[in-house]
Amino acid sequence: MVSNWEDFYAKNPRPADLEQSESLLKDFIRRHDDRKVVLVTSGGTTVPLEHNTVRFVDNFSAGTRGSVSAEYFLDHGYAVIFLHRLKTLEPFSRHFAGHSFLNMLDLKTENGKPSVIVSPEYTEQISQVLCKYKEILKQGKLLQLNFTTLAEYLWLLRSTCKALAPLKSRAILYLAAAVSDFYIPSNEMSVHKISSSGPPTIALHLVPKILEPLVSLWVPEAFVVSFKLETDENLLISKARDALNKYKHYLVVANMLHTRKEHVVIVSRDDNYPISLSKSQIAAGEEIEQQIVADLVKKHDAFIGSAGKVT
Ligand code: 9Z3
């Protein structure tokens, strides 16, 4: 019998540029095959309502968790594959997103000629980020690939897993993207813009649980970390534990929608414990991802040491 996930790939055509992404992935892994490599997924997926897409279902994810974490993994010496939703936050450039960038600049006019300078109070901050970014570029340690739709994400995820598999326990999958649970199959989707002459009836189907083939078939020896998002505190830990029991991966980072930037719970087979920022840490601009990543890196080292055997 064809499984749900196989059916999904059979019915949703591969993105036109997938081959190009696969060749970038292959090249990246070849260059870093003696290193620890992390796949960070980030941002939300869209679910188109029409083939000629005017409208789609989307979600809240800004890509903060993923982009911030990617930088901390780089600090720990990892090579990073950053698979993100187009137009969501990216490592390094996230520091200059929106108006904050313009506020860091000043105009200076000399002999009637305007020029742009960095405001002195931001020079240190910008140069620190720029310095790290240039170094990472030089070392070629960051590969960025992007998606927009759910189908693009799932195709890229599978290709990335296949590229990572030879690294065995040296690969971490850090699945922070907010992937839609519902979609409209390609063959049920309207070709053209849905008419507004009457209220449409739209039937959404369940997206196959991709962690299942990912853990059991695609990267069976890798260190897989999934994320669980809830809005009802009472469900958070039990749902995270259900996922661990079902997919048998290594760890779940559980978070609540409204407190995700200051509090998460790390859920493993044996225990669960919180990672939190205090009010003063938040005020000082500390990022919870620094602690999450440091914790995972320690666990990943132990995992590699035990040759990928789950204890
Ligand atoms: C997360 O839980 C991430 O931490 C957030 C980060 C998406 C909340 P932002 O991008 O938010 O910083 O704004 N990601 C996973 C969410 C998810 O869809 N998980 C699925 C679930 O909970 C399982 S893979 O069922």
Side-chain angles (χ1 to χ4, degrees), residues 60-65 175-179 181 227-229 255 260:
F60 68 94
S61 172
T64 307
R65 178 81 80 225
L175 305 172
V179 181
D181 285 319
F227 280 72
K228 172 58 70 184
L229 174 74
N255 54 181
R260 66 190 191 276

Short mmCIF file of all heavy atoms in Angstrom, two decimals, residues 60-65 175-179 181 227-229 255 260, ligand 1:
data_model
loop_
_atom_site.label_atom_id
_atom_site.label_comp_id
_atom_site.label_asym_id
_atom_site.label_seq_id
_atom_site.Cartn_x
_atom_site.Cartn_y
_atom_site.Cartn_z
N PHE A 60 1.68 32.35 11.43
CA PHE A 60 2.31 33.51 12.09
C PHE A 60 3.84 33.54 12.03
O PHE A 60 4.44 34.56 12.30
CB PHE A 60 1.93 33.46 13.59
CG PHE A 60 2.60 32.28 14.24
CD1 PHE A 60 3.82 32.43 14.86
CD2 PHE A 60 2.05 31.02 14.14
CE1 PHE A 60 4.48 31.33 15.40
CE2 PHE A 60 2.71 29.92 14.67
CZ PHE A 60 3.91 30.09 15.29
N SER A 61 4.48 32.43 11.73
CA SER A 61 5.92 32.32 12.01
C SER A 61 6.75 33.37 11.28
O SER A 61 6.66 33.53 10.07
CB SER A 61 6.41 30.92 11.63
OG SER A 61 7.82 30.88 11.71
N ALA A 62 7.61 34.06 12.07
CA ALA A 62 8.44 35.13 11.51
C ALA A 62 9.84 34.63 11.15
O ALA A 62 10.62 35.35 10.53
CB ALA A 62 8.55 36.27 12.52
N GLY A 63 10.16 33.41 11.61
CA GLY A 63 11.50 32.88 11.36
C GLY A 63 12.54 33.37 12.36
O GLY A 63 13.74 33.28 12.11
N THR A 64 12.08 33.87 13.50
CA THR A 64 13.03 34.33 14.53
C THR A 64 13.79 33.13 15.10
O THR A 64 15.03 33.13 15.12
CB THR A 64 12.28 35.06 15.67
OG1 THR A 64 11.48 36.07 15.09
CG2 THR A 64 13.25 35.66 16.65
N ARG A 65 13.06 32.13 15.58
CA ARG A 65 13.70 30.95 16.20
C ARG A 65 14.78 30.38 15.28
O ARG A 65 15.90 30.12 15.71
CB ARG A 65 12.63 29.89 16.47
CG ARG A 65 13.19 28.61 17.06
CD ARG A 65 13.42 28.71 18.55
NE ARG A 65 12.21 28.53 19.30
CZ ARG A 65 11.83 29.29 20.33
NH1 ARG A 65 12.57 30.29 20.72
NH2 ARG A 65 10.70 29.05 20.98
N LEU A 175 14.15 21.21 13.50
CA LEU A 175 12.99 21.46 12.63
C LEU A 175 12.06 22.51 13.25
O LEU A 175 11.00 22.21 13.77
CB LEU A 175 12.26 20.14 12.39
CG LEU A 175 13.17 19.03 11.81
CD1 LEU A 175 12.45 17.68 11.77
CD2 LEU A 175 13.66 19.41 10.40
N ALA A 176 12.49 23.77 13.13
CA ALA A 176 11.76 24.87 13.78
C ALA A 176 10.71 25.52 12.89
O ALA A 176 9.96 26.39 13.34
CB ALA A 176 12.75 25.93 14.26
N ALA A 177 10.64 25.11 11.62
CA ALA A 177 9.64 25.72 10.73
C ALA A 177 8.23 25.38 11.20
O ALA A 177 8.00 24.30 11.76
CB ALA A 177 9.85 25.23 9.30
N ALA A 178 7.33 26.31 11.00
CA ALA A 178 5.92 26.09 11.36
C ALA A 178 5.21 25.58 10.10
O ALA A 178 4.75 26.36 9.26
CB ALA A 178 5.30 27.37 11.86
N VAL A 179 5.17 24.27 9.98
CA VAL A 179 4.67 23.64 8.75
C VAL A 179 3.17 23.40 8.87
O VAL A 179 2.70 22.90 9.89
CB VAL A 179 5.41 22.30 8.53
CG1 VAL A 179 4.95 21.64 7.25
CG2 VAL A 179 6.91 22.53 8.50
N ASP A 181 -0.45 21.93 8.88
CA ASP A 181 -0.98 20.58 9.09
C ASP A 181 -2.04 20.24 8.05
O ASP A 181 -2.47 19.10 7.96
CB ASP A 181 -1.63 20.49 10.48
CG ASP A 181 -0.59 20.43 11.57
OD1 ASP A 181 0.42 19.73 11.38
OD2 ASP A 181 -0.77 21.07 12.61
N PHE A 227 10.02 20.46 16.93
CA PHE A 227 9.43 21.48 17.79
C PHE A 227 7.93 21.22 17.92
O PHE A 227 7.30 20.75 16.96
CB PHE A 227 9.65 22.88 17.19
CG PHE A 227 11.03 23.41 17.45
CD1 PHE A 227 12.13 22.88 16.80
CD2 PHE A 227 11.24 24.43 18.37
CE1 PHE A 227 13.41 23.34 17.05
CE2 PHE A 227 12.51 24.91 18.63
CZ PHE A 227 13.60 24.37 17.97
N LYS A 228 7.40 21.49 19.09
CA LYS A 228 5.96 21.35 19.29
C LYS A 228 5.41 22.69 19.75
O LYS A 228 5.89 23.27 20.73
CB LYS A 228 5.69 20.24 20.33
CG LYS A 228 4.28 20.10 20.77
CD LYS A 228 3.31 19.82 19.65
CE LYS A 228 3.43 18.45 19.02
NZ LYS A 228 2.51 18.28 17.87
N LEU A 229 4.45 23.18 19.02
CA LEU A 229 3.83 24.46 19.38
C LEU A 229 2.40 24.22 19.83
O LEU A 229 1.64 23.51 19.17
CB LEU A 229 3.81 25.37 18.15
CG LEU A 229 3.05 26.68 18.35
CD1 LEU A 229 3.83 27.64 19.22
CD2 LEU A 229 2.73 27.33 17.03
N ASN A 255 7.04 24.58 22.95
CA ASN A 255 6.85 26.01 23.26
C ASN A 255 5.41 26.44 23.07
O ASN A 255 4.65 25.85 22.32
CB ASN A 255 7.82 26.90 22.48
CG ASN A 255 7.84 26.75 20.98
OD1 ASN A 255 8.61 27.41 20.29
ND2 ASN A 255 7.04 25.87 20.41
N ARG A 260 6.98 31.99 23.60
CA ARG A 260 8.05 31.20 22.94
C ARG A 260 9.41 31.88 22.99
O ARG A 260 10.42 31.22 22.86
CB ARG A 260 7.65 30.88 21.50
CG ARG A 260 7.53 32.07 20.56
CD ARG A 260 6.91 31.61 19.25
NE ARG A 260 6.97 32.59 18.18
CZ ARG A 260 6.10 33.56 18.00
NH1 ARG A 260 5.09 33.71 18.85
NH2 ARG A 260 6.20 34.38 16.97
C1 9Z3 B 1 8.08 26.06 16.55
O1 9Z3 B 1 7.46 25.65 17.49
C2 9Z3 B 1 8.90 27.36 16.59
O2 9Z3 B 1 9.51 27.51 17.83
C3 9Z3 B 1 8.03 28.60 16.25
C4 9Z3 B 1 8.96 29.82 16.22
C5 9Z3 B 1 7.37 28.42 14.89
C6 9Z3 B 1 6.97 28.80 17.34
P1 9Z3 B 1 9.02 32.18 15.09
O3 9Z3 B 1 9.35 31.64 13.73
O4 9Z3 B 1 8.26 30.99 15.88
O5 9Z3 B 1 10.26 32.51 15.88
O6 9Z3 B 1 8.04 33.31 15.01
N1 9Z3 B 1 8.08 25.39 15.37
C7 9Z3 B 1 7.33 24.19 15.11
C8 9Z3 B 1 5.88 24.46 14.97
C9 9Z3 B 1 5.12 23.29 14.44
O7 9Z3 B 1 4.41 23.47 13.52
N2 9Z3 B 1 5.27 22.11 14.99
C10 9Z3 B 1 4.42 20.96 14.65
C11 9Z3 B 1 3.42 20.80 15.75
O8 9Z3 B 1 3.48 21.49 16.77
C12 9Z3 B 1 5.20 19.68 14.60
S1 9Z3 B 1 6.59 19.69 13.57
O9 9Z3 B 1 2.54 19.91 15.62
#
